[in-house]
Amino acid sequence: MKTPRFLLCLILTVALPSSATPQTAPGFVQPFAKTQMVAAANPLAADAGLEMLRAGGSAVDAAIAVQLVLGLVEPESSGIGGGAFMLLFDPKTKKTTSFDGREVAPSSARPDMFLDAGGKPRTKPDAIPGGLSVGIPGVIGMLEMAHQKHGKLPWARLFQPAIKLAEDGFPVGPKLARTIRNFKRGANMPDIKARFYHADGTPLQQGEIYKNADYADTLQKIAAGGAAAFYTGEIAQAIVGAVRAAPVNPGNMTLDDLANFKALEREPVCGPYRMWRVCSMGPPSSGGVAIVQILGMLQRFPSSQLQPGTLSEVHMRAQASRLAYADRVKFIADPAFVKVPVKGLVDKDYIASRAALIDPHRDMGTATAGNPPEKHAAFAPQRSPSNHGTSHMTLVDKTGQVVAMTTSVESVFGSNVMAKGFFLNNTLTDFSLDPMLNGLPVANAPAAGKRPLSAMSPTIVFDRGGDFLLSVGSPGGPAIIGYVTQTVVAMLDGGKTPAEAITLPRQLNLNSPTRLERSAVNDALEPQLKAMGHAVTVVMGEGSGLHGIRKVKGGYIGGADPRRDGVVIGD
Ligand code: GLU
């Protein structure tokens, strides 16, 4: 799949401005680097990251440049109108920290905001488009915070590749073209129609040149004025205007809501897996807790039973996942609003008690949440949402600084509404649309100033000595947790390279039927799993977009998910 695209890049060189053609395409076919590496969802975005690393930038600097280009070339999946989580390993202190740029609900948000007149939750397709689902975008605030603490290059320098590409144009990539073509609902939304459709009603095709002068102008302003130029002034006014004048579901965001946004630095959630240590994002993401729980349960079984794609591995991982997903939907939400029993949920004895529920020979059926040893309020488990507007990148710089960043506009093209050249997220529909279930409040109910529950899981694994070993993350909504754990187990227990682990056919369980991605391996597993009591759903292609890097002797190797347009490049 990759070689033809690589060839296409070469062919396009003839007709396009040179900046719009990936400069480092060879990295694409030889993902090994000695000193620095970028794994990201689009070749142009990865190029921007490597350009910063080559200019002496840190992994944080490079991640910022990657994000700004992604917002142009992969706008269906992430951008400055969305939110993100960044996990960062600092080799100087050997500490891992995380930055929370999750969107925040505006002051007008209410628990019943997604209920219809009869008090029933609206459907997702009904609630997503327009202004009501838009949270205060967190990406720019978070990137500025990370840059102030860990950046080396001037802030404005990081904007240059994206500004140039937005002005000169770039060839529409396979995934963007496919997304526009398949996203029929978008054709009715004026911003999508104006940007991605020709006057005759045909969608933009792969390879056609797309420019975005509004985005270039927006980036110029943020480059010059910092995050303040995004959260106040002309850009903030455009965001508020777009939310309030949305063609459907107008919202009530205010200029004060934007001016009050604050990114946060948080402790990541870490735990052991055999001889390794795994860190990922804590609440408001459920990723860290769930991954530490799943791996904590799995480490009770020998590696020999966890070889990738074997019946025992798929079964055991499905069981541990069921238990973790059951806890996820009950206990995890914005910790500023509910007491999340993080310590209790990753407590060694609690995890052991959950692992004891696993029968190695029989599917347990729907798991229920446990009773972690930490006080918390009584909550009802929410129904789990699922979406597809996310991107993941992993980067390592010359000093060994590692960034794993998962970034999202939530659904495809977010809320489908644009302000000044970028899409606004629909992340408020990551709240439970039901604020109450079975007479109990839902921890992740909407509220003013609250961050919705996420599953985004930028993850870093350390070796016995506490040094960086590998990092991975993915889009995919709640399935992210399953994608990441499968990949980590395949690398650690199965000895797979990142590229091999990322390419494996997916099997996962979100505490519902076991999901198998159509493939020869899974076709063979299906009857065997059914014989063990699994209900099975077969899906044609999973929505993972895993990008990862692993340290090896003499350098790094990486992997990019063939399900998307990603690349791994480095020096
Ligand atoms: N908004 C989702 C979350 O934060 C991610 C959606 C996706 O991965 O596409 O969990």
Side-chain angles (χ1 to χ4, degrees), residues 124 384-388 410-411 430 476-478 510 515:
K124 282 272 193 131
S384 212
S386 119
N387 285 295
H388 302 285
E410 212 305 283
S411 205
D430 267 352
L510 278 58
R515 225 159 85 183

Side-chain angles (χ1 to χ4, degrees), residues 5 34 36 38 41-42 46 60 72 76 91 94 167 218 241 257 292 319 331 352 384-385 393 429 435 516 518 559 570:
R5 195 168 72 243
K34 281 192 180 148
Q36 52 194 12
V38 180
N42 180 283
V60 165
L72 174 73
E76 71 276 25
K94 284 206 170 190
E167 282 170 350
T218 295
D257 289 331
V292 167
Q319 304 308 292
F331 295 115
S384 212
M393 67 183 86
T429 57
L516 301 179
R518 170 70 73 211

Side-chain angles (χ1 to χ4, degrees), residues 76-77 83 85 102-103 124 284-286 328 385-391 406-412 426-427 429-430 452-457 474-480 483 543 564:
E76 71 276 25
S77 293
F85 295 123
R102 185 68 164 167
E103 297 90 335
K124 282 272 193 131
S285 178
S286 54
R328 165 189 194 269
S386 119
N387 285 295
H388 302 285
T390 303
S391 202
T406 312
T407 174
S408 183
V409 286
E410 212 305 283
S411 205
V412 178
N426 67 295
T427 297
T429 57
D430 267 352
L453 172 68
S454 172
M456 294 194 289
S457 311
S474 181
I480 290 170
Y483 298 150
R564 297 208 169 190

Side-chain angles (χ1 to χ4, degrees), residues 536-560:
V536 170
T537 307
V538 176
V539 298
M540 283 317 287
E542 282 287 354
S544 63
L546 291 143
H547 296 105
I549 293 178
R550 180 180 184 140
K551 194 166 202 289
V552 291
K553 200 160 178 275
Y556 302 97
I557 52 175

Side-chain angles (χ1 to χ4, degrees), residues 47 93 95 99 104 113 124 169 193 198 219 240 286 291 313 338 368 406 430 439 461 466 470 543 565:
D47 279 355
T93 58
K95 286 224 166 76
F99 294 99
V104 171
M113 65 190 288
K124 282 272 193 131
K193 199 169 170 183
H198 297 291
L219 293 186
V240 167
S286 54
I291 288 169
E313 187 260 343
V338 300
T368 48
T406 312
D430 267 352
V461 180
L470 62 90
D565 294 356

